[in-house]
Amino acid sequence: MRRDRLFLAATLTAIFSADLYFILLPKLRSLGQGLGHFCSCGPNNLTLPRHGGLATPRLSNWTSLPPLDGTTSEPADGGSKLGRLFAHPLYNIQTPPLGPEERLLHAEQLMEYYRRKVSRWERHMKLYSEAAAASNITVTEHEVTFDPDASWVKFHLGISRYTLYSRDDPAIPQLLKEMQSMSVVSADYTQDEKALKGACDCTQVVKPSGHHLKLALKMQNFAKAMFKPMRQQRDEETPEDFFYFVDFQRHNAEIAAFHLDRVLDFRRVPPVAGRLVNITGEVLQVTHNEDLRAVFFTSPANNTCFFAKCLYVCKTEYAVCGSPDLLEGSLSAYLPGLSIAPRISIPNPWIRSYTFTGREEWEVNPFFCDTIKQLYPYNSGNRLLNIIDMSIFDFLISNMDRHHYEIFTKFGDEGFLLHLDNARGFGKHSQDEMSILAPLSQCCMIKRSTLLRLQLLARPEYRLSDVMRESLEGDPLQPILTEPHLLALDRRLQKVLRVVQRCVRRLGEDEVITKDFVKSTAKPQTATEIKKDR
Amino acid sequence: MRRDRLFLAATLTAIFSADLYFILLPKLRSLGQGLGHFCSCGPNNLTLPRHGGLATPRLSNWTSLPPLDGTTSEPADGGSKLGRLFAHPLYNIQTPPLGPEERLLHAEQLMEYYRRKVSRWERHMKLYSEAAAASNITVTEHEVTFDPDASWVKFHLGISRYTLYSRDDPAIPQLLKEMQSMSVVSADYTQDEKALKGACDCTQVVKPSGHHLKLALKMQNFAKAMFKPMRQQRDEETPEDFFYFVDFQRHNAEIAAFHLDRVLDFRRVPPVAGRLVNITGEVLQVTHNEDLRAVFFTSPANNTCFFAKCLYVCKTEYAVCGSPDLLEGSLSAYLPGLSIAPRISIPNPWIRSYTFTGREEWEVNPFFCDTIKQLYPYNSGNRLLNIIDMSIFDFLISNMDRHHYEIFTKFGDEGFLLHLDNARGFGKHSQDEMSILAPLSQCCMIKRSTLLRLQLLARPEYRLSDVMRESLEGDPLQPILTEPHLLALDRRLQKVLRVVQRCVRRLGEDEVITKDFVKSTAKPQTATEIKKDR
């Protein structure tokens, strides 16, 4: 608990100093220069003043983050905007070392868990090889080695109460690199698909069946990644008549969302890398699942294709095809298994109606947030602020499909929200769906730390589109986003800031811009307690 | 029977004269000019010589057909290639008047049938209006009048043993005009859709569910037409990885196929017109079917849409939307009801395998036709030649989906083959699917009358693409085909002629070019007899 308080104090101090120098000081100055009142309504009201010679919060030893492609970055004051961003004091607030209770996993426990998994896999492989030889099935076999120092293990061990990875963790660029190139030793349906047991999810009548195309790939070093194949060209926009819930899943949106999350310093999206997958050699020939093998076929154009695993109508019109075998896709690093790191999935209070005509309460009641603010777990701690962070993230990527969010049960209500499954983002660059921002615009609250970073990214020196373009250049499937999508990020960022500005004008800064962790409960509740409370 | 023989004699005489002057005479001439042998392999070997001062077959009084848009055509020697084509002797072979047994329907019987239908409709409307008023459902009601002289009645009465309509029937352009503009008084699923009883046709796992979007529209004068909505833009090509059986149905292919069939003088496709349908006013508001009403919804872009009537996954991703209500579609005139004019549906001997890997015998056995030639009903009469005509038609439109064909039972085996359901044509202009021509290339037989017309359409004065362009200009949704699709017709026509040429070189003209009706059985078998024989 002491460590907890220490961390709280450190964060508060850091935020207070940033606050003092970035907001209060310039305000006092501008007052001194005779400006009448705070809200003179220029678009730059809430942007950061240039910092030069200002005292900055305590910096960690890392002045710039390692770039994601593994090359060394340019000096912080050089041509790299991304380097300069990550060298900025706001991105270098030093945090005290994490205590064991602030980490998701214990190293020994995890090693034991993975060793058991690895030996189960080896037994399975032995049996499978014998059975396959007996039935004359050719399965490509690869040498597999479990390395306790592998980047994916380090990623799992690095997950904390605050973020999925630390800013300076060299395991993350390493993991991205491995997902891009390491040999795939097996492919299978994901648990979601297996739950369907071969049938379409026919209860969800409005959902298209074609999205059941994601696969779990296992790498040579036992790393596991979720593969989402390319369904749509980069320059195709979602048809205007599509409902958000039947929209395609886009592999490039999944990749871009990871980079944006990192640029925003949220670090709530697991690492995602693009990869040109050979669906014959790296999926068909390494799968041990007969059902998966059965959905492969050769198209009239002699390309290898596979389709969704549904018994009914969802067949070739939903297929994806290689050219002739190579297919772009996103690879998202798996989180630790649910048995060792359980998570719970909680409906988003601002969930949409998944019907044609239905409307949810938040769409019709402008005081919806007042109700939510009274309700557990949104009535204390950071949960509501975290939801607002998520809505800003979703608005920037234009994802309308955030029906649930997940948290690690270990950290209880104070844990961060995982931003998983972002493939329905980046559908239309030409449209800004303001309703996604409802949590922000209805609650009129935002974390000061989030706002400061958004303001920084609105400045020409750190322009969001520029740092995103630079960040995405590290991916092998670049360009990940078309220019119109990159420019939409800047436009949407301005709209977020304008919503905050309107709130401040209406309610005053103190009400709107909330000090992070300020209402933190003393002791994090565990998920079991959460469940009991319901 | 005597009338039958008379007709046979007249046709034979006409074809013989055409043959003599178009083929034999020039051949003798070229021989006289010292050319070594017949097949000197130029692409024009089998094209028609220019006609001028040649004796022509007996002409009917109609020197040119009325154009389909109802305007009077230019003089035959003027700028209209289509006019010139229809004025050509080959398109003006006079046929003796039809006897009652050569007509599909008797006028009195048909009138009695329709009068019963009309009074049933009126009773239904009365009851429905009362019920609708009781349940507060608004249904637009239109004045409906049955006119025994309506163009659709004339079309039905004009169907003969030889064709669906006669060349000079003024009811056909009239019917097209009415389908383009007449008020729609009711809309419903077609019988096919009703047979599905709300469920997807889940036995046909490889078939997409999205094609169940066709509707039956009833017009103010009781004419009935099948509406197929636009699914694809004119310039979109079918993706190369699509199997033919999951391809979209294209409304413009349906329209273009009718025009091509007429240009080829087959007249085996019922009239089809394009129309901009108001799916709210002309479908939703006039339907009495609750199921149909239930599949309408408003899209996020505020357009009216409807989707296929399947219980499972086939939902909004398959929807079609108006803009906001107007949607292009094809309207195909209904044939007389099955109870008054029964038809049978017979599998095409050259059916394709509707699986990913299966191959049918014709695809692997080059002597497949020899087997077919021995089998009833292909071992006598015109049936095989009719199949070959159909394959030429399908090759020109590039339709791979001709799994069955229909004939009117009344005319037995000597009846012509109906070329229904052509919406999977015109998918790819850049590809010529030679396998569609298998009946021609494997059997090496073609009707002389068909060949003569194909040769005519290969000549610059009557170029197929030009007459098709001109013919399609009469449709309100013009342009119906993009230029690449029109030009593909010329290229494919040349390929058909080359296949015939290769056959002639191999087997000689007498074997390949078959005099129409030459093997006609004396007495047409009825469909009941056909069934007994199986």
Side-chain angles (χ1 to χ4, degrees):
Chain A
M1 275 309 94
R2 235 182 238 171
R3 200 175 284 277
D4 213 278
R5 278 186 206 158
L6 187 70
F7 181 81
L8 186 68
T11 314
L12 278 176
T13 318
I15 286 172
F16 178 71
S17 352
D19 190 25
L20 183 67
Y21 289 99
F22 289 77
I23 306 284
L24 294 179
L25 212 69
K27 205 156 71 172
L28 289 171
R29 269 189 203 144
S30 71
L31 277 176
Q33 282 160 17
L35 279 171
H37 53 100
F38 173 55
C39 277
S40 61
C41 308
N44 290 323
N45 259 345
L46 286 166
T47 57
L48 281 172
R50 285 169 182 280
H51 75 102
L54 291 179
T56 49
R58 280 206 302 156
L59 301 186
S60 74
N61 288 332
W62 295 87
T63 49
S64 73
L65 285 176
L68 292 179
D69 58 357
T71 59
T72 50
S73 72
E74 294 179 66
D77 53 354
S80 163
K81 282 194 178 181
L82 188 63
R84 256 183 298 171
L85 179 77
F86 286 155
H88 190 275
L90 265 176
Y91 285 73
N92 289 280
I93 299 166
Q94 206 182 25
T95 50
L98 294 171
E101 275 315 298
E102 290 170 316
R103 293 186 181 278
L104 180 66
L105 300 162
H106 296 288
E108 305 75 40
Q109 187 194 356
L110 190 71
M111 289 308 152
E112 182 49 38
Y113 173 75
Y114 285 134
R115 283 219 180 80
R116 275 205 309 276
K117 283 201 113 173
V118 167
S119 51
R120 197 158 64 227
W121 164 261
E122 281 163 353
R123 278 200 307 279
H124 163 83
M125 273 311 289
K126 198 162 163 279
L127 289 171
Y128 186 81
S129 301
E130 288 167 12
S135 354
N136 270 334
I137 294 172
T138 358
V139 175
T140 318
E141 281 185 41
H142 293 274
E143 277 292 313
V144 184
T145 36
F146 173 66
D147 172 11
D149 287 326
S151 63
W152 68 273
V153 180
K154 286 186 177 152
F155 161 55
H156 285 186
L157 283 172
I159 300 173
S160 80
R161 201 184 128 177
Y162 311 102
T163 55
L164 274 176
Y165 50 92
S166 65
R167 287 189 199 100
D168 49 1
D169 188 349
I172 303 303
Q174 184 60 28
L175 175 56
L176 290 173
K177 217 173 146 187
E178 286 173 7
M179 289 198 294
Q180 286 158 16
S181 56
M182 192 172 272
S183 291
V184 178
V185 299
S186 96
D188 202 350
Y189 286 116
T190 64
Q191 289 303 322
D192 286 7
E193 313 304 293
K194 285 183 181 169
L196 290 178
K197 290 207 178 81
C200 289
D201 187 1
C202 293
T203 55
Q204 299 198 336
V205 285
V206 292
K207 283 212 162 186
S209 43
H211 65 172
H212 300 308
L213 279 167
K214 54 182 196 243
L215 297 174
L217 303 185
K218 202 194 283 292
M219 310 284 162
Q220 201 156 26
N221 67 351
F222 282 99
K224 224 172 141 187
M226 187 186 289
F227 168 58
K228 290 190 179 174
M230 180 169 87
R231 303 289 314 271
Q232 205 175 324
Q233 296 297 319
R234 306 279 197 286
D235 55 355
E236 281 178 77
E237 283 212 283
T238 299
E240 58 164 15
D241 289 318
F242 265 36
F243 280 87
Y244 45 91
F245 47 75
V246 299
D247 192 11
F248 284 126
Q249 302 222 8
R250 278 168 289 275
H251 73 305
N252 62 325
E254 203 72 90
I255 301 166
F258 161 67
H259 285 259
L260 178 66
D261 170 82
R262 188 170 181 260
V263 158
L264 292 172
D265 204 37
F266 286 161
R267 290 171 281 141
R268 297 161 201 169
V269 175
V272 184
R275 177 167 176 158
L276 208 53
V277 174
N278 182 323
I279 55 170
T280 304
E282 297 178 318
V283 180
L284 177 60
Q285 287 170 3
V286 296
T287 185
H288 303 166
N289 185 325
E290 279 312 301
D291 288 346
L292 178 54
R293 204 184 286 276
V295 295
F296 275 77
F297 65 96
T298 305
S299 84
N302 265 327
N303 294 319
T304 304
C305 309
F306 68 100
F307 53 81
K309 179 205 180 192
C310 276
L311 280 182
Y312 297 104
V313 286
C314 28
K315 289 272 168 166
T316 58
E317 74 273 29
Y318 281 129
V320 287
C321 299
S323 173
D325 300 290
L326 295 177
L327 180 61
E328 283 192 16
S330 62
L331 268 83
S332 310
Y334 259 61
L335 291 173
L338 288 171
S339 58
I340 193 162
R343 309 189 294 268
I344 52 169
S345 173
I346 300 167
N348 184 350
W350 278 265
I351 195 170
R352 285 170 193 274
S353 159
Y354 280 65
T355 62
F356 298 127
T357 48
R359 308 197 83 183
E360 293 291 327
E361 194 191 336
W362 65 268
E363 294 177 86
V364 288
N365 175 7
F367 306 107
F368 177 72
C369 187
D370 295 338
T371 319
I372 291 296
K373 275 178 183 168
Q374 310 300 320
L375 294 177
Y376 176 83
Y378 305 102
N379 55 356
S380 71
N382 275 319
R383 184 66 74 85
L384 190 53
L385 288 166
N386 288 343
I387 293 277
I388 290 165
D389 272 359
M390 185 167 72
S391 77
I392 293 169
F393 176 73
D394 282 335
F395 175 72
L396 290 174
I397 68 171
S398 202
N399 173 26
M400 298 171 77
D401 195 36
R402 187 75 65 193
H403 41 86
H404 285 72
Y405 59 88
E406 290 191 24
I407 56 169
F408 287 112
T409 48
K410 175 168 181 178
F411 304 128
D413 284 336
E414 289 313 309
F416 65 95
L417 312 189
L418 287 157
H419 299 174
L420 304 176
D421 213 352
N422 305 304
R424 290 222 166 103
F426 296 105
K428 290 182 208 165
H429 56 73
S430 50
Q431 199 179 315
D432 302 333
E433 184 54 52
M434 294 307 292
S435 67
I436 305 174
L437 271 185
L440 173 65
S441 56
Q442 294 183 347
C443 301
C444 267
M445 283 164 69
I446 186 169
K447 288 186 196 173
R448 188 176 295 278
S449 60
T450 300
L451 179 62
L452 289 173
R453 286 193 300 270
L454 294 178
Q455 288 172 329
L456 198 67
L457 290 163
R459 284 164 53 167
E461 315 92 278
Y462 305 101
R463 197 193 315 275
L464 180 56
S465 60
D466 290 340
V467 293
M468 274 296 284
R469 192 183 298 104
E470 197 183 330
S471 185
L472 293 171
E473 271 165 13
D475 194 274
L477 299 185
Q478 63 146 315
I480 299 298
L481 292 181
T482 59
E483 277 303 306
H485 278 293
L486 285 168
L487 299 178
L489 288 172
D490 293 330
R491 188 183 64 227
R492 290 175 190 153
L493 176 56
Q494 286 302 331
K495 291 193 176 171
V496 175
L497 293 175
R498 247 173 275 151
V499 169
V500 176
Q501 192 183 325
R502 269 198 299 272
C503 286
V504 168
R505 215 180 301 153
R506 191 153 62 86
L507 303 168
E509 235 182 296
D510 291 346
E511 275 295 302
V512 175
I513 303 168
T514 311
K515 284 176 194 69
D516 306 30
F517 298 96
V518 78
K519 289 176 187 167
S520 170
T521 50
K523 173 178 161 289
Q525 259 186 310
T526 62
T528 357
E529 286 171 305
I530 296 171
K531 276 181 183 160
K532 265 188 233 146
D533 288 356
R534 282 187 183 165
Chain B
M1 279 307 96
R2 237 184 234 170
R3 198 175 286 277
D4 214 277
R5 279 186 205 159
L6 188 67
F7 180 80
L8 185 71
T11 314
L12 279 176
T13 315
I15 286 170
F16 178 69
S17 352
D19 191 25
L20 182 67
Y21 288 99
F22 290 78
I23 306 284
L24 292 180
L25 213 68
K27 203 156 75 169
L28 287 172
R29 270 187 202 144
S30 71
L31 276 176
Q33 282 160 17
L35 280 170
H37 53 99
F38 172 54
C39 278
S40 60
C41 308
N44 290 322
N45 258 344
L46 285 167
T47 57
L48 281 170
R50 286 170 181 278
H51 75 102
L54 291 178
T56 48
R58 279 207 303 155
L59 302 186
S60 75
N61 287 333
W62 295 85
T63 49
S64 73
L65 286 176
L68 292 178
D69 59 357
T71 60
T72 50
S73 71
E74 294 180 68
D77 52 355
S80 162
K81 282 194 180 181
L82 188 65
R84 257 183 299 171
L85 178 77
F86 287 155
H88 189 277
L90 266 176
Y91 285 73
N92 288 282
I93 299 166
Q94 205 179 26
T95 50
L98 294 170
E101 275 314 298
E102 289 169 316
R103 293 184 181 278
L104 180 66
L105 301 162
H106 296 288
E108 305 75 40
Q109 187 195 355
L110 189 73
M111 289 308 151
E112 182 48 36
Y113 173 76
Y114 285 133
R115 285 220 177 79
R116 275 204 309 275
K117 283 202 111 173
V118 166
S119 50
R120 198 158 63 226
W121 164 260
E122 281 162 351
R123 277 198 309 279
H124 162 83
M125 273 310 290
K126 197 161 165 279
L127 289 171
Y128 185 83
S129 303
E130 288 167 13
S135 356
N136 270 334
I137 295 173
T138 358
V139 175
T140 318
E141 280 185 43
H142 292 273
E143 279 290 313
V144 185
T145 35
F146 173 67
D147 172 12
D149 286 326
S151 63
W152 68 272
V153 180
K154 284 186 180 152
F155 160 55
H156 285 185
L157 283 173
I159 300 172
S160 80
R161 199 184 130 178
Y162 310 103
T163 55
L164 275 175
Y165 51 91
S166 64
R167 288 188 198 103
D168 49 0
D169 188 348
I172 303 304
Q174 184 60 29
L175 175 56
L176 290 173
K177 217 172 147 187
E178 287 173 6
M179 289 197 294
Q180 287 158 15
S181 56
M182 192 171 271
S183 290
V184 178
V185 297
S186 97
D188 202 350
Y189 285 116
T190 63
Q191 288 302 321
D192 286 5
E193 312 304 293
K194 286 182 180 169
L196 291 178
K197 290 206 177 85
C200 289
D201 188 359
C202 293
T203 54
Q204 300 197 337
V205 285
V206 291
K207 283 211 162 185
S209 43
H211 63 174
H212 300 307
L213 280 166
K214 53 183 196 239
L215 297 173
L217 304 184
K218 202 194 284 291
M219 309 284 161
Q220 201 157 26
N221 67 353
F222 282 98
K224 225 172 141 186
M226 186 186 291
F227 169 58
K228 291 190 180 176
M230 182 169 85
R231 303 290 314 271
Q232 203 175 325
Q233 296 298 320
R234 305 280 198 284
D235 54 356
E236 281 178 77
E237 282 213 284
T238 299
E240 56 163 16
D241 289 318
F242 265 35
F243 280 87
Y244 44 90
F245 47 77
V246 299
D247 192 11
F248 284 126
Q249 301 222 10
R250 278 169 289 274
H251 73 304
N252 61 327
E254 202 73 88
I255 301 167
F258 161 67
H259 285 259
L260 178 66
D261 169 84
R262 188 170 181 260
V263 158
L264 292 172
D265 205 35
F266 285 162
R267 290 171 279 140
R268 297 161 200 169
V269 176
V272 184
R275 176 166 178 159
L276 209 53
V277 174
N278 182 324
I279 56 171
T280 304
E282 296 178 319
V283 179
L284 176 60
Q285 288 171 1
V286 296
T287 185
H288 303 167
N289 185 326
E290 279 312 300
D291 288 346
L292 178 55
R293 204 183 286 274
V295 295
F296 275 77
F297 65 96
T298 304
S299 85
N302 265 328
N303 294 320
T304 304
C305 309
F306 68 100
F307 53 80
K309 180 207 181 189
C310 275
L311 281 182
Y312 297 104
V313 287
C314 28
K315 288 274 169 165
T316 57
E317 74 271 28
Y318 281 128
V320 288
C321 300
S323 171
D325 301 291
L326 294 177
L327 179 61
E328 283 193 14
S330 62
L331 270 83
S332 311
Y334 260 60
L335 291 173
L338 288 171
S339 57
I340 194 163
R343 308 188 295 267
I344 51 169
S345 173
I346 300 167
N348 184 349
W350 278 265
I351 196 170
R352 284 171 195 272
S353 160
Y354 279 66
T355 63
F356 298 128
T357 48
R359 307 198 83 183
E360 293 292 327
E361 194 191 335
W362 66 267
E363 294 178 86
V364 286
N365 174 7
F367 306 106
F368 177 72
C369 187
D370 295 337
T371 320
I372 292 297
K373 276 179 181 167
Q374 309 299 320
L375 294 177
Y376 177 83
Y378 305 104
N379 57 355
S380 71
N382 275 318
R383 185 65 74 83
L384 190 53
L385 288 166
N386 288 343
I387 294 277
I388 291 165
D389 272 0
M390 185 167 70
S391 78
I392 293 169
F393 176 73
D394 282 336
F395 175 73
L396 291 173
I397 67 172
S398 202
N399 173 26
M400 297 171 79
D401 195 36
R402 186 76 63 193
H403 41 85
H404 285 72
Y405 60 88
E406 292 191 23
I407 56 169
F408 287 112
T409 47
K410 174 168 180 179
F411 303 129
D413 285 335
E414 288 313 310
F416 65 95
L417 312 190
L418 286 158
H419 299 173
L420 304 176
D421 215 351
N422 305 303
R424 291 221 166 102
F426 297 105
K428 291 182 206 162
H429 55 73
S430 51
Q431 198 179 315
D432 302 332
E433 182 54 51
M434 294 307 293
S435 66
I436 305 174
L437 270 186
L440 173 65
S441 56
Q442 294 183 346
C443 300
C444 266
M445 284 163 68
I446 186 170
K447 289 186 194 173
R448 188 176 295 276
S449 61
T450 301
L451 179 62
L452 288 174
R453 285 192 301 269
L454 293 178
Q455 288 173 327
L456 197 68
L457 290 162
R459 284 166 52 167
E461 315 93 278
Y462 305 102
R463 198 191 316 274
L464 180 55
S465 60
D466 291 339
V467 292
M468 274 296 284
R469 191 182 298 103
E470 196 182 332
S471 185
L472 293 170
E473 272 165 13
D475 194 275
L477 300 184
Q478 62 143 319
I480 299 300
L481 292 181
T482 59
E483 277 302 306
H485 277 294
L486 285 168
L487 299 179
L489 288 172
D490 293 330
R491 189 183 64 227
R492 290 175 189 152
L493 176 55
Q494 287 300 332
K495 291 191 177 172
V496 175
L497 293 176
R498 248 173 276 150
V499 169
V500 176
Q501 192 182 328
R502 271 198 296 276
C503 287
V504 168
R505 216 179 302 153
R506 191 154 61 85
L507 303 168
E509 238 183 293
D510 291 347
E511 276 294 302
V512 176
I513 304 168
T514 312
K515 282 173 194 70
D516 305 31
F517 297 96
V518 78
K519 286 175 189 170
S520 169
T521 50
K523 176 176 160 288
Q525 258 184 311
T526 64
T528 355
E529 286 172 307
I530 296 172
K531 276 181 184 162
K532 266 190 233 149
D533 286 356
R534 280 183 186 172

